[in-house]
Amino acid sequence: MSEPTSAHLTPESRAEKGAATGATSRQLSGSVAAVARLAELPGVPDQLEAAREACTRLRWHEGLRRRIPEAAAESRVRGAVASAELEGARMPLAAVREVLTGSATWSPAPDPVERVVRGVLGATLETEHVEGLVLRSPLQALARLHTVASAGAVPDSALGRPRLPGEDCEELPDLGPAPSAAVAAERLRGVVEVLVATPGLPVLLVAAVVHAELVTVRPFVRGNAVVARALDRAVTRAGGLDPTGVAVTEAGHGAEGAAAYVGALAAYGRGDAAGVGLWLGHCAAAVRAAAAEGEAVAAAVRAGRLDPPR
């Protein structure tokens, strides 16, 4: 991002290479400085504070006393179901949970819905294991998320790596044609810079920008939005916005439906202040909704009843 109102992350200039990447360092890469400036857009400071307060309430929920691991596990299951729905694949929450607990198994000949759910679930569960990598070795974290998200959906040679020259991505046509592999690689370098600099930036802004960049640039042949939502979850926890991992970030993004989610991403892709601001507003509202769903998870864990009453 070369300007605070641009949606384009670009790699740091040659003169800036070798400088510290933290947002509080004397010299920032263009990408990191651009994300930092987003906090100055009208209304953004209030949105950041409201999201922080929602996550703080979740953190101190009585249902999480000595039950955070259990609640975080349930959050990942609910998040996977919500993420799959944003991909157009609906499967009952109870059915997914039964597979995870071993009381049911996947079909030996899965239909398209099950194939999507399996990939999304794999990526969402993997977030627990890449939490320590996502802000330190982002490319390694992305490779792991993409490998589990897209296994069986793309050739093995395409797993865990960005597109090569000549490779296209046909996902998300509503966002327009995907940029070339060269442009995607350049923008991906900006994503990495921002992730490494997370300790000095508002975590919500980092999660919002890297999420939107992955979806709009589509660096992978397939599975970009699934990886983006999984990355969002991992950054939200690793960056400390929701250290419990109980907020259901995917449900937050889907709270207003898939059309609103894709529309907000399309607005970001325009690169103007209004479009970027609309996406940031969507993400702030998504965090609040995610925290509210997390509170529902905490209450369910406390009551010993994970399925909502019918």
Side-chain angles (χ1 to χ4, degrees):
M1 297 171 69
S2 57
E3 298 295 336
T5 57
S6 172
H8 295 174
L9 288 175
T10 56
E12 57 189 335
S13 68
R14 182 168 303 187
E16 291 171 325
K17 288 184 177 179
T21 56
T24 56
S25 65
R26 182 172 300 176
Q27 187 177 35
L28 303 177
S29 75
S31 300
V32 175
V35 173
R37 289 195 296 271
L38 293 177
E40 302 170 5
L41 290 177
V44 170
D46 290 341
Q47 292 172 340
L48 294 176
E49 179 61 20
R52 186 194 64 78
E53 290 177 354
C55 289
T56 298
R57 286 194 301 273
L58 170 61
R59 183 178 183 181
W60 298 109
H61 193 285
E62 290 185 1
L64 297 184
R65 292 181 181 179
R66 298 182 296 278
R67 305 292 291 275
I68 289 178
E70 184 179 352
E74 174 64 13
S75 171
R76 287 189 289 273
V77 177
R78 296 191 185 196
V81 171
S83 186
E85 288 187 357
L86 286 171
E87 293 293 302
R90 292 179 177 272
M91 182 173 285
L93 174 62
V96 177
R97 194 185 293 120
E98 286 172 0
V99 171
L100 288 177
T101 58
S103 58
T105 59
W106 294 117
S107 169
D111 61 21
V113 169
E114 184 176 313
R115 283 197 294 268
V116 171
V117 172
R118 289 170 69 164
V120 173
L121 180 62
T124 309
L125 296 179
E126 186 67 14
T127 60
E128 181 183 16
H129 305 297
V130 302
E131 181 184 340
L133 293 173
V134 68
L135 306 183
R136 178 169 48 87
S137 301
L139 288 177
Q140 186 176 347
L142 284 168
R144 290 177 59 169
L145 291 173
H146 184 256
T147 297
V148 294
S150 299
V154 301
D156 289 350
S157 60
L159 290 174
R161 65 156 176 82
R163 288 185 281 129
L164 300 176
E167 290 182 331
D168 296 320
C169 175
E170 298 180 357
E171 290 184 317
L172 298 161
D174 290 345
L175 301 182
S180 68
V183 171
E186 182 181 11
R187 297 270 289 272
L188 191 58
R189 287 194 290 273
V191 167
V192 169
E193 291 174 4
V194 170
L195 286 169
V196 172
T198 296
L201 296 168
V203 178
L204 189 153
L205 295 185
V206 172
V209 168
V210 299
H211 183 149
E213 285 287 305
L214 287 183
V215 177
T216 56
V217 176
R218 287 156 280 179
F220 302 107
V221 173
R222 188 169 178 178
N224 294 282
V226 174
V227 171
R229 291 188 292 272
L231 181 66
D232 190 324
R233 168 181 280 272
V235 170
T236 298
R237 184 171 190 178
L241 180 58
D242 169 38
T244 68
V246 178
V248 189
T249 54
E250 303 86 352
H253 285 294
E256 299 299 324
Y261 170 68
V262 174
L265 284 164
Y268 174 92
R270 297 199 313 261
D272 55 65
V276 174
L278 191 153
W279 169 248
L280 296 180
H282 163 89
C283 290
V287 169
R288 297 195 301 271
E293 181 65 13
E295 290 190 65
V297 169
V301 167
R302 185 184 187 194
R305 187 181 64 246
L306 293 178
D307 286 316
R310 301 191 179 191

